[in-house]
Each structure stands twice: as C-alpha cells, then as structure tokens.
Amino acid sequence: MAIKTYREALNEVMHSEMERDSNVFVCGEDISGGAGGTSGEREASGGIFGVTAGLLPRFGEDRVIDTPISENTIVGMAVGASLAGKRGVAEIMFADFVTLALDQMMNQAAKFRYMSGGKAKCPVVIRVPYGAGMNMGAQHSQTMYNIVTSVPGLKCVMPTSPADAKGLLTAAIRDDDPVVFFEHKAMYGSKGEVPDGEYIIPFGQAAVLNEGDDVSIIAMGRMVLFAKESIKKLKAEGINCDLIDLRTTSPLDENAILDSVEKTGRVVIVDESTPRCSLASDIAGFIVSHGFSSLKAPVQQVTSPHAPVPFARELERAYVPSPENISTAVRRVMNYK
Amino acid sequence: MSLQQSRDQLLGAYRQMKTIREFEERLHKEIMTGEIAGFTHLYSGQEAVAVGVCQHLDTEDLIVSTHRGHGHCIAKGCNVKGMMAEIYGRSTGLGKGKGGSMHIADFDKGMLGANGIVGAGGPLAVGAALSAKLDGKGKVGICFSGEGSINQGAVFEAMNMAKVINAPAIFIIEINGYSEHTGASYSVGGVDIAKRTEGFGLKTIEADGCDYHAVYDAMAELLDYSRSGNGPSAAVFNTTRFFGHYEGDPQNYREKNEVKDHRSTRDCLKKFCKDNLPSGIVTQSELDEIDASVMGLIDEAVTEARNAPPTPMEEMEADVYISYE
Ligand SMILES: Cc1ncc(C[n+]2csc(CCOP(=O)(O)OP(=O)(O)O)c2C)c(N)n1
C-alpha cells in the first residue's frame, strides 16, 4: 500500500493497462497537449487535469491521440475501434460536453450488443470529469451521471477514493461493455491508500464505508466524502449511520441497499444531480417498491436544486449538497414519528 | 489603401480597442488576487477583430460569441461595469452574477452571449441570421469562432445550413494559433481554413486580424454581400493572444519569447497608431485623453464590482423558467 492521489491512481492504471494490452489506446482533447505548438514541448499538459500525463512519451502518438475539438467523433472513433477489436479510452474534457457525444454513447455504443443479438462487443471507456463546486458556471459543472445511468447498455462508474479509482478503472478498461467513468473534478487531489500491483473491483458491488443501526445514507461520487463528514458529527449526537457508497450506479448493488434499509428503516440518499429523474429519485423509488415494509420514515433525498449551476460563489456553495444538508436530512428521518 | 473612416469613427474604434485591452490587462492582475473565481479567458491581442467587425453593426445585427467573449461584448456595446460585476459574480452583473465570464450576454445590445460550449455558436448564429432574413431588413447574424471550434461537427452543419437556406450568417474565424494547449497546425486538418469555408460555398476573405483597417475593410465587403441577400460568408483573421488559454495556463507549448515578440510586432493598438497618427486625422493628445478616460472607467468598474452586493439566495431558483405553474 502507498498513499496516492486520486489523479495518480488513475494515471497509474492508464500506464499499466496500456503496457499490459497493446489494444488499449487513449484519445481526447489535450490529453498530451503541445501538438503543433511553437515551443516543441510535445507533452505540454498531460490532460487538463493531468490524468493522462506521461502516456505520450511512453506509448507514442499512435496510441495516445490528441484530438481536435470534436467530442462526437472522439467518442464515436473510440466506439468504432472498440467494435473492431481495440479498447478505446476516450476522455471528454468536462462531463457537460458528453451532450455532444450522446448519439455515439446512447444510440450507438449502448445498443450494439443488444441489436446484434449478443454478437457485438464494445469495450470502450469514456472518462468524464464532472461536478460543481469550482466556480466554472452552468456549462462546466453538471453531473450527467444520472442521464448515463438511465441508459440500458451503458455502465456507469463513480469512484470516490484513490483505491477505488484504481480498482474500478482497471475493471472498466478490461470490461467488454461500454463504461462511462465519472471522476469528480474536486477529487483529483484527494489522497488515500492504494493497493500495490493489480487491483480490480468488480462492478455492482457497493462499499459499506460505515456501519450504524439508525439511518442508511446512500451516496455516490463526491457526495460520499460529504456523507463521511456528516456521519462524524452525527455520531457525536448519538446517531449512527450506515454509509453505502454505490461505486457503480449501473449495475446497481440492490442487495446492499435493501440489506441496509432492512436494518435501519430510515434512508437518506445523497446525489449531486438536480432532483428530477435523479439517482436519488430512482433509488428512492426502488426502495419504496422493494423495501417498503422496512421503512419507518419517508425516504429523504438530498440533491441540488432544480436549476442550472450558478456562477456566483455564494450561490454555488449553497447549490451543491453539503455535509450540513445531509445531517439535517438524517435528523429529519430520526425525528419522524 | 484602406476605406476612409471619419475622425469620430476612428476615435470610437480606438476607444473600444483600448477598453478591451485594459479590461483584460486589469483582469489578468485582479485574477491573481484570488477575488475572481472560475475560468477566465482573456482576449488581449485580438481586439482589432472584435472592433473591426462590430464597428459595422447596430443593435439589430446579432452576434454570438465564445468562451473568449469579453472583447466581442465590449465591441458590441455591452456595459463595461455590468460585465466586470458579472465576472466578479455580483448581483449587479449583466447576468446577476449567475452566468460569469463565459456567459456574458446582453440581448438588448444584440449580443446573444458568450458560450462555454466550443462550436455551439455556429447553429445559433444561423438562427439569428434566419430571423434577420425573415425580417427582411438587411440585418445579419454573426458567429465569432476560434479556429479550434471549426473542427466541431456543429460548425460544419451550421455553415452548410446557412448556405442551403441562404441565410445572412457571417462566420468570423479568429486564428490565434491555439486551441487550449494544441497548435492550429495540428488540429485543423488541411490547415487552410479559407478553403474549408469556401468549400461550403461561403464567400470568404482572409485578412490580418492584428490590423484594424484590414478587418474593417474585409467586413465592409462581406456585410455588403450578406446584407444584400447573397447568403452566408466568412472572414478568416490571423491574430494572436497575449495571455494563456485561461488565466493560470503555464503556456509551455509556446516558444519562450512568442508573446513578447507578438506584443512588440503584432499589437493592433500600436498598428492603429502607426496607421492613423502620421496623417494627423487623429492626434496623440486625443488618444491620450481616451487612454485616461478608459483607465478611469476600468478602475471604477473594478471598484464598483468589488463593492457590489453578492447575488441574493432568492436568485438560485429564479429565472429557470419564465413561468412554471
Ligand atoms: C464542446 C467543448 N469542448 C471542449 C471545450 C474546452 N475548451 C474550451 S476553449 C477550448 C479551445 C478553443 O479553441 P478555439 O476555438 O481556437 O478558441 P480560442 O480559445 O483560441 O479563442 C477548449 C478545447 C469546451 N469548452 N467545449
């Protein structure tokens, strides 16, 4: 075990998977940077968030492809190559730009397997930095994972720790289905212990990060970190919570959710997305349908408001669900009579 | 020989270019204080394009801008103090602080917005041009784009659509050499952008984007063409940016002295002075006076933005819809 950042963990996987399998290639805007520049510095950025650093010098331009600004073809090209036997890892610079590639994701990648009666294989990974909290405004801060999760045929992965980043990205690259991999922009610098050597986390297995009999907190992505903060405070108040980190929202670990709900009967779901058609509403619906008899209080959903992400600092701070919002929701289900 | 412009026109153009320059140079300093949040893309170096284009326009001619939009906004007449307050994320901003630097717009001025999505402006500008065509008053829809954006499928579609429906859309392509950290010679396949726009059937003019008069003259011809029902056109301007892609960009993809060299050899303000002072049509003292008044305006804009009230919480869920009952 060594302490690494989330960014380093991801970077390491890209290196090791490209080394391991010559079919793996990466593509995206400025994933190396510097092409056509006047300084001759060929790796000028290593990705805008540094996740793809060092790949170009090591694996060369054929497999580390800096692209023009053409999201639809960045993804479509990776999808096409994957149908033809390669394993494309495409980077979309900001999750918001997924909308420009949505045809290739939703209409193409997601459906080949099904429509070919199980003959086609589309082992593509689309990496997307997502999320609010960095004052980037309405078109550079959205979550998008709620939309992706809703699409049959796409897998949706959301690591919350450097170790999970490693285990899940390795699984994603080796998976034979299209995987959309969500990395929260505010988490790249976060640190944690990462297992050495090969490390794979199978999809569909939530992690139980805290155990308590009073309330089940179900969260994904950065919201898991906020839930952890909230749990510490609540413990001092005598409230003990389960914390379920979904890790993959599709496939969804339904058993982990139901087991916890059965134990506590009180549920708070924390989701950075806007509330309509969110993961929060989806999972709340699932619990009501499948775990109703365990419930002792209405399921609470902590989400962003039904509005675009505002730019002004004060507003954005209030927009994103906070540890305080989570604590308030937990107290509400505890106090429900 | 460039087209004749009156003294007032020239002084007006100089004032706008200077305002853009000082607005951006000041932002560059203010961003380092940490008071301004988020992504800010500065337009310094490209002023002659925005101003050379917008000098021909009135508020009924519509423009669509990019993430690097401050220059287009100022040239189209947006309120400078409202812009500054928006960049500071204050309630007095043009978008009440809810948009930010990448989303400044002023619909009353015919400025349909900066845009955080590279290439999204193309289709919108065709829509603006369609509206102008339906109104039949000889107005146009203008799309400002960096050379990186013209690699987006949406922009290809927009150019073709404009041609097919014979809309008075004008695509302004500002080649500042880079899209983020990648050089134009790499990302623009075939490299010759004018051939691309000509391939779509757009009447195209190439000119030096660091030369106000060259831009102005090119636009006179294209506007005459598109305003008279001949359909879409394009201008390809070579220019340069004096700062990084965004503030904080280390710019290690650029040759060490590139910016310094360009500041001394390709500065559109210096070129403007060289072109217009010798004949005496404008005088140094007139320009000095403008400089002083611009500096005063920027100072006030910063002070007022800093002291402006924050955006109130009620704004969070306001303006999502006009009505939602
Ligand atoms: C759809 C989309 N893809 C990527 C980006 C990230 N991005 C912002 S600006 C930019 C470069 C744009 O280059 P260009 O069009 O030449 O304009 P310039 O920055 O040079 O003014 C990129 C890649 C974005 N904002 N939108």
Side-chain angles (χ1 to χ4, degrees), chain A residues 250-267:
Chain A
S250 176
L252 180 68
D253 189 345
E254 299 179 342
N255 290 334
I257 295 172
L258 291 178
D259 287 350
S260 178
V261 174
E262 207 171 290
K263 180 174 74 171
T264 64
R266 297 183 165 89
V267 186

Side-chain angles (χ1 to χ4, degrees), chain A residues 29-30 69 71 93-94 97 100 140, chain B residues 41 46 66-68 116-118 145-149 152 174 176 178-180 241 245:
Chain A
E29 294 156 16
D30 283 320
I69 310 171
E71 283 79 10
M93 194 178 278
F94 287 85
F97 314 156
L100 285 86
H140 284 68
Chain B
H41 308 84
Q46 303 181 210
T66 70
H67 57 286
R68 198 177 303 288
I117 302 300
V118 170
S145 345
E147 86 281 352
S149 78
Q152 284 284 31
E174 301 182 60
N176 65 11
Y178 300 95
S179 46
E180 294 213 343
R241 66 166 147 79
H245 171 65

